[in-house]
Amino acid sequence: MASSPQPPPPSPQPSRAANDFRSDTFTTPTPSMLQAMASASFGDDVYQEDATTTGFEAEVARLTGMQDSLFMLSGTMGNQIGVRLHLHQPPHSVLCDYRAHVYAEEGSGLAVLSQAMVTPVHPRNGLYLTLDDVKRWVVLGDDIHCAPTKVISLEVTIGGVLTPLDEIRNISEFAHDNGIKVHCDGARLWHASAATGHSLADYCQYFDSVSMCVSKGLGAPIGGVLAGSTADIRRARWLRKQQGGGIRQAGVLTAPAMVALKEIWPTMRTTHERTKKLERELGAMGVVPQIPVDTNFFFIDAGRSGVDMGVLLDKCGKFGVRLQDERISMHHQISDEAVENLKRAIKEAVEDTKKLPEGYVSKARTGGYGSTSKMNEYS
Ligand SMILES: Cc1ncc(COP(=O)(O)O)c(C=O)c1O
């Protein structure tokens, strides 16, 4: 977390996001974000003349301890450019978790934009990649049958689960000893920092590039930011322009991002506590998570909890809350009333699931974390 004193959390906004548990992307800009947009500097950022944007980028560089940073239009853009910075001439490959967003959820960007093979790894602990996983699957050497690993990409947090800092350090040291760059999909690195008390810089020291989202959990309407070395960020600016990401009056986007850093980041611990409280309350109903609830996600283990997801999604409609799958996403704008309604929906779903006839085929697909991805063991 930032070391400077934190302002008090903003009062909860009456927001359309209050009932929306689908993702922590479904937040709405706060009044202070809108105010900041209106008083942004309105310089042209393609010419690097926008003070609001350069100020935001300097602040992220300071917080991450990286040499520089660059605002991105999305987390996907930050990831794809971040990885591409380290990939120069195929054959080459990226090693990552099989559920990693950069691989499974970015429209085959690694293949299209970086001409990269991917080594998608199932972590042996079922939670996060370890050095043992990396050593088992990394492609080293010059065997002409293979595509050597040139980048290891770690998603922190992944499924809301924390990767221990020591594990990140071990992977990073191994990678660097073998000429491999390390990228972080830190869409939710803010959460990791808030949960563990390790600063962003504590994490970022082990990475060559770090992509973070400002519209996920952090609550800004648009964007992300890529941090790295001065030379890499200079090249990233070029690649971003090539992808249509040269933004003119970028301050209207970076101003709310700056507010998000100052106002919403300090509220994340509270969000984590509320998620853990929900875990305890659901536990009392026999509803258990698939993976540890370290931060802001609770993935319902539908099978072990005796919940038919089709039934649950219908109940959510009845109680006026939004859920799309097994993931309950908490964020700063979820209201207490919505949590109560979600619990009611889940309680009724458990009761009604018991009454389903034998052999009933659910209206919703279930199958564990990552089941939205086509490329996993459950599909
Ligand atoms: C872990 C992770 N990385 C990257 C992204 C991509 O962000 P965006 O939707 O802004 O492209 C997401 C989006 O949900 C994500 O969850």
Side-chain angles (χ1 to χ4, degrees):
M1 294 285 287
S3 52
S4 50
Q6 305 295 345
S11 54
Q13 308 299 327
S15 156
R16 59 183 289 164
N19 299 320
D20 207 326
F21 295 90
R22 288 176 295 171
S23 173
D24 50 359
T25 57
F26 284 97
T27 54
T28 55
T30 61
S32 43
M33 287 180 195
L34 297 173
Q35 212 173 9
M37 288 166 93
S39 50
S41 52
F42 305 132
D44 185 316
D45 183 54
V46 172
Y47 285 64
Q48 296 185 50
E49 290 174 2
D50 186 55
T52 303
T53 300
T54 48
F56 170 74
E57 290 167 342
E59 176 62 1
V60 172
R62 187 186 72 76
L63 289 169
T64 56
M66 306 294 266
Q67 287 176 350
D68 205 352
S69 90
L70 185 65
F71 183 71
M72 291 284 163
L73 286 173
S74 67
T76 298
M77 186 181 260
N79 269 341
Q80 292 300 326
I81 291 178
V83 171
R84 191 174 155 200
L85 287 173
H86 312 306
L87 295 168
H88 301 288
Q89 171 71 48
H92 48 211
S93 63
V94 176
L95 186 154
C96 59
D97 190 297
Y98 77 106
R99 303 159 297 176
H101 200 279
V102 69
Y103 152 65
E105 312 273 346
E106 297 188 2
S108 71
L110 293 179
V112 174
L113 299 167
S114 292
Q115 296 181 282
M117 277 284 288
V118 177
T119 308
V121 176
H122 287 244
R124 258 193 244 184
N125 61 20
L127 301 175
Y128 53 80
L129 288 180
T130 64
L131 179 58
D132 282 348
D133 295 318
V134 168
K135 282 185 172 165
R136 172 133 194 255
W137 293 104
V138 69
V139 181
L140 299 175
D142 54 6
D143 181 338
I144 62 167
H145 297 89
C146 306
T149 306
K150 293 293 176 194
V151 174
I152 295 172
S153 183
L154 301 180
E155 190 171 308
V156 186
T157 61
I158 183 155
V161 173
L162 295 161
T163 302
L165 197 57
D166 283 352
E167 203 58 65
I168 295 173
R169 188 196 59 227
N170 293 342
I171 292 172
S172 169
E173 285 175 0
F174 171 84
H176 290 148
D177 287 348
N178 287 283
I180 297 168
K181 299 283 186 174
V182 194
H183 172 76
C184 178
D185 179 350
R188 298 183 179 83
L189 197 61
W190 319 102
H191 280 284
S193 173
T196 60
H198 296 312
S199 68
L200 289 183
D202 288 340
Y203 284 103
C204 293
Q205 64 180 317
Y206 299 121
F207 294 99
D208 299 288
S209 53
V210 179
S211 167
M212 292 177 291
C213 291
V214 295
S215 67
K216 234 143 274 139
L218 211 56
I222 291 175
V225 56
L226 179 70
S229 70
T230 308
D232 278 346
I233 293 302
R234 195 180 308 121
R235 185 148 172 273
R237 189 177 288 281
W238 199 337
L239 298 180
R240 186 186 70 170
K241 180 75 177 146
Q242 188 188 63
Q243 290 188 17
I247 318 160
R248 298 296 176 179
Q249 284 72 37
V252 292
L253 306 180
T254 49
M258 188 67 133
V259 173
L261 275 186
K262 293 200 181 332
E263 284 188 357
I264 309 302
W265 193 19
T267 70
M268 277 185 185
R269 251 179 198 283
T270 305
T271 300
H272 300 166
E273 280 158 19
R274 293 177 78 206
T275 317
K276 284 175 206 243
K277 179 165 178 276
L278 179 64
E279 179 189 19
R280 289 191 296 277
E281 290 164 346
L282 293 182
M285 298 179 205
V287 174
V288 291
Q290 299 170 24
I291 50 179
V293 179
D294 286 345
T295 54
N296 65 321
F297 293 151
F298 181 107
F299 282 85
I300 301 169
D301 190 326
R304 287 202 301 139
S305 306
V307 178
D308 179 276
M309 282 307 297
V311 173
L312 176 55
L313 297 184
D314 286 346
K315 294 290 178 194
C316 286
K318 174 180 166 186
F319 285 98
V321 290
R322 304 193 79 172
L323 195 67
Q324 61 188 0
D325 53 27
E326 296 142 299
R327 186 179 70 178
I328 301 170
S329 303
M330 293 287 284
H331 52 76
H332 60 285
Q333 287 174 330
I334 292 285
S335 69
D336 288 339
E337 190 191 354
V339 173
E340 289 310 310
N341 284 330
L342 178 68
K343 285 181 342 202
R344 284 187 194 109
I346 294 175
K347 190 162 183 289
E348 278 199 13
V350 171
E351 284 157 14
D352 286 12
T353 299
K354 289 188 195 130
K355 299 176 201 152
L356 292 175
E358 194 134 335
Y360 174 83
V361 179
S362 179
K363 285 194 279 174
R365 194 170 76 132
T366 51
Y369 171 51
S371 61
T372 51
S373 160
K374 306 284 179 293
M375 301 290 290
N376 69 70
E377 64 192 338
Y378 302 104
S379 55

